[in-house]
Amino acid sequence: MSRSGLIISAAFCALALLAPWLAPYHPKADTDVPLAAPSARHLLGTDDVGRDILSQVISGSRISILVGLIAGLAAAALGLLVGLLAGYLGGAVDRILMRTVDVFLAMPRLPLLILLAAYLGAGIWVVVICFVLVSWAMPARVVRAQVRVEKQRPYVTSARLSGARSIYVLRKHIVPALSPLALAIVIMEISHAIMIEAGMSFLGLGDPTATSWGTILHHAFSYPALFLSDAWIWWALPPGVCLSLLLLGLALLAMEVERKVDPRIEGGRLGG
Amino acid sequence: MAAENARALLDLSSLEVTYGPDQAPVVQDLCLRIERGQAVGILGESGAGKSTIALAILDLLPRAARRKGRIHFDGLDLLGRAESIRAIRFRRISLVLQDCMNAFNPVIRIGEQIAELWVCHERTRWKEALRRAGALLERFGLSAELTGSYPHELSGGMRQRVALAMAVALSPELVIVDEPTSALDVVTANAVVELLGAVRRESGASLLVISHDVSVLARCCDRIAVMGEGRILEEGPAARVLRQPEHAATRSLIAAVPRLAAFREKP
């Protein structure tokens, strides 16, 4: 039970890596009659242009996870860097960076995303850039607070008085002390990025030529008669279930990581 | 004094420190000389500005703080050339902080924290530096095996010893010790005071000991300066200051020591 997050996340990563070998058909190949019900040839049936849905869901994991990883890591890295600089340097740098963070935190996320994507055009890199723009501010603030705590530690003063440069203090004392927090932030950002990518693709703001869970949902919901038959069960449900499962796995993984690195949370019981 | 016109190791004159633009000075019009090999004590009650002097010398004050006056160390103007302070810290002037027993990184082994000094300052190899760390601990009456321990595995007194050992690791000319005994029991405090004497004998370094405890300074200093409200109230040879205090503040600090008999004029 304690490893379920790791197992779910690893399983989806394996699915994404092995997609070309696991998928029975090419995700864009016109394989059969449109809207075929599940059968031995098409375990999840086909969509309105006759593409195999199972193959689409398997291949779709690649874009979802790849964009999630790139965008999540980039947003977390930018947030960590800004938080580290603002927290450690303080003074004018801190004020300028934190006011910028405030501006980005105050902006409504989804309308901004839609606006940005509409201006920049659809595409995977647009999704990445949009996500980084709306998601770097929160981790920056969290990290800054933690850096300010670490900076006050007596051993940091000691290191400085024994002649250590700032960069040495950061590398030796502050960054290692931040690593559990950083790991949790990275996982959280990746899971947000996967959700945002799916959301943008669902709204038709992702790359229309790429197959991701979001674009499968987009196509399914664009089909006017989706709910007039049982087709939604094998067309719209599987990508949604995959998405939910992966996000659940990442959330569990973040909790497991937290439990591993924070000695105060022992056996699910929060101690003082 | 004979060395009056010779260059002092540390020469503070008209030093003034404020912690912010509109704040009253914490230290003002402070003059203090430390000759080579001398041990000078600064005595004063809490809040007198004693620790501020130590931080001011090494440029470790908060950013908003301002220093005025003159800080000369071996002819170098420490106020004028702030960028060179890193070359001075620990190599030429070391400081043992007031709460030094808590000043270790809890997740790095003691040996690594000591060895780091030589690795970073003298480009010693890690293996050699760790060996020297063990030897240094033995010189300070600790087991060389402590290099493999984490700070929480040591008692407060042991950590204090390690901190003192680290202060002389790079053979500085001046060792500043801020309240070396304030968090220790009497027996351990005694051992630390003896250790201070050993530090001086062994390394030949000058000492600047900051304390509110007369008995500590009485046992390890040649000269004592008494501070109050940011100023030096009186200064002189330790025996004279303790036996014939001129200032009321000195008298009350001496009276605060339970074992008064030790400083009373012998009949």
Side-chain angles (χ1 to χ4, degrees):
Chain A
M1 199 51 207
S2 67
R3 293 244 172 105
S4 48
L6 184 67
I7 292 167
I8 295 173
S9 310
F12 274 105
C13 288
L15 183 74
L17 280 172
L18 302 174
W21 295 278
L22 289 176
Y25 303 95
H26 189 276
K28 288 178 190 144
D30 178 1
T31 52
D32 212 324
V33 290
L35 295 170
S39 64
R41 288 188 57 210
H42 303 285
L43 289 175
L44 291 175
T46 59
D47 67 3
D48 57 341
V49 288
R51 293 174 296 193
D52 182 56
I53 292 174
L54 179 66
S55 304
Q56 287 190 55
V57 170
I58 291 173
S59 303
S61 66
R62 303 196 110 187
I63 298 292
S64 293
I65 290 173
L66 188 68
V67 172
L69 277 179
I70 294 173
L73 284 175
L78 184 62
L80 285 169
L81 186 69
V82 169
L84 212 54
L85 285 177
Y88 191 78
L89 296 176
V93 179
D94 182 33
R95 277 196 295 278
I96 293 169
L97 288 175
M98 280 307 113
R99 289 305 79 76
T100 317
V101 164
D102 287 342
V103 169
F104 274 87
L105 280 179
M107 285 196 278
R109 247 170 111 130
L110 201 58
L112 183 69
L113 275 175
I114 294 172
L115 203 68
L116 277 171
Y119 269 105
L120 296 172
I124 287 172
W125 289 108
V126 174
V127 174
V128 171
I129 292 166
C130 290
F131 178 77
V132 171
L133 274 177
V134 300
S135 301
W136 65 275
M138 189 63 106
R141 198 166 256 302
V142 173
V143 167
R144 168 188 176 264
Q146 195 60 34
V147 171
R148 286 171 71 91
V149 171
E150 297 299 331
K151 207 174 83 167
Q152 303 297 326
R153 302 248 186 244
Y155 54 78
V156 171
T157 316
S158 286
R160 279 183 54 223
L161 84 83
S162 54
R165 280 175 207 277
S166 291
I167 198 87
Y168 187 84
V169 172
L170 280 171
R171 200 184 70 215
K172 184 93 186 185
H173 297 290
I174 295 188
V175 171
L178 284 177
S179 50
L181 178 70
L183 198 54
I185 286 177
V186 165
I187 297 173
M188 191 187 75
E189 290 287 313
I190 288 173
S191 112
H192 277 175
I194 289 172
M195 199 154 56
I196 291 286
E197 189 279 331
M200 286 178 75
S201 302
F202 173 66
L203 292 173
L205 298 167
D207 184 350
T209 61
T211 307
S212 78
W213 293 335
T215 51
I216 301 172
L217 285 168
H218 174 68
H219 286 303
F221 280 84
S222 316
Y223 180 66
L226 177 68
F227 291 105
L228 294 183
S229 67
D230 287 338
W232 61 274
I233 295 174
W234 55 83
W235 193 0
L237 219 48
V241 167
C242 284
L243 194 60
S244 308
L245 254 181
L246 176 56
L247 293 181
L248 176 73
L250 286 172
L252 288 173
L253 181 64
M255 277 166 63
E256 285 154 20
V257 165
E258 197 182 5
R259 195 167 298 151
K260 255 275 187 293
V261 295
D262 191 343
R264 283 174 305 171
I265 311 169
E266 200 76 47
R269 176 172 50 87
L270 242 157
Chain B
M1 267 184 89
E4 197 60 57
N5 47 6
R7 203 160 69 182
L9 182 63
L10 183 74
D11 186 1
L12 309 176
S13 52
S14 331
L15 182 67
E16 181 179 308
V17 181
T18 47
Y19 273 111
D22 310 315
Q23 311 242 327
V26 178
V27 170
Q28 55 184 323
D29 199 26
L30 184 122
C31 298
L32 190 69
R33 279 170 73 92
I34 300 175
E35 310 293 339
R36 264 182 203 282
Q38 209 174 35
V40 175
I42 298 182
L43 179 67
E45 48 185 27
S46 304
K50 307 186 298 288
S51 301
T52 301
I53 300 175
L55 298 177
I57 293 169
L58 284 169
D59 193 20
L60 288 165
L61 292 164
R63 192 175 299 193
R66 290 287 169 270
R67 304 176 296 169
K68 266 191 277 183
R70 215 171 67 132
I71 303 176
H72 277 195
F73 174 74
D74 195 25
L76 295 170
D77 181 5
L78 295 192
L79 265 188
R81 16 188 293 173
E83 76 284 353
S84 68
I85 189 67
R86 277 194 53 251
I88 305 273
R89 285 180 187 163
F90 250 63
R91 285 195 215 200
R92 305 195 62 190
I93 308 177
S94 65
L95 167 61
V96 183
L97 285 173
Q98 189 163 357
D99 52 356
C100 65
M101 61 174 69
N102 302 316
F104 295 96
N105 189 325
V107 296
I108 302 178
R109 288 175 205 272
I110 291 285
E112 191 183 329
Q113 299 197 44
I114 303 174
E116 207 182 1
L117 287 168
W118 292 302
V119 171
C120 294
H121 285 277
E122 295 172 4
R123 308 216 168 279
T124 312
R125 284 166 179 275
W126 271 108
K127 207 177 155 195
E128 165 69 6
L130 282 169
R131 195 192 56 73
R132 282 173 72 180
L136 181 70
L137 288 181
E138 281 183 339
R139 265 171 56 204
F140 277 77
L142 297 165
S143 159
E145 283 165 22
L146 288 183
T147 47
S149 307
Y150 287 98
H152 72 269
E153 296 175 288
L154 276 62
S155 71
M158 287 158 101
R159 274 180 276 164
Q160 190 97 17
R161 278 168 184 259
V162 175
L164 277 170
M166 286 173 76
V168 298
L170 301 175
S171 318
E173 291 139 86
L174 174 65
V175 179
I176 307 175
V177 190
D178 192 359
E179 296 284 9
T181 59
S182 63
L184 299 176
D185 63 84
V186 185
V187 178
T188 319
N190 227 6
V192 166
V193 172
E194 271 163 27
L195 209 57
L196 284 176
V199 163
R200 199 176 152 201
R201 277 195 305 278
E202 237 184 84
S203 63
S206 305
L207 274 183
L208 175 60
V209 184
I210 294 169
S211 181
H212 63 271
D213 190 342
V214 179
S215 62
V216 170
L217 298 185
R219 288 168 51 203
C220 63
C221 296
D222 308 321
R223 293 180 75 80
I224 291 183
V226 183
M227 273 192 83
E229 291 174 0
R231 296 164 194 276
I232 297 233
L233 303 174
E234 72 170 297
E235 202 256 336
R240 206 275 297 147
V241 172
L242 295 176
R243 295 212 170 112
Q244 291 144 10
E246 284 166 3
H247 203 280
T250 319
R251 278 196 287 275
S252 72
L253 280 164
I254 292 173
V257 178
R259 285 163 61 237
L260 241 179
F263 311 110
R264 201 169 281 158
E265 190 83 79
K266 285 183 187 97

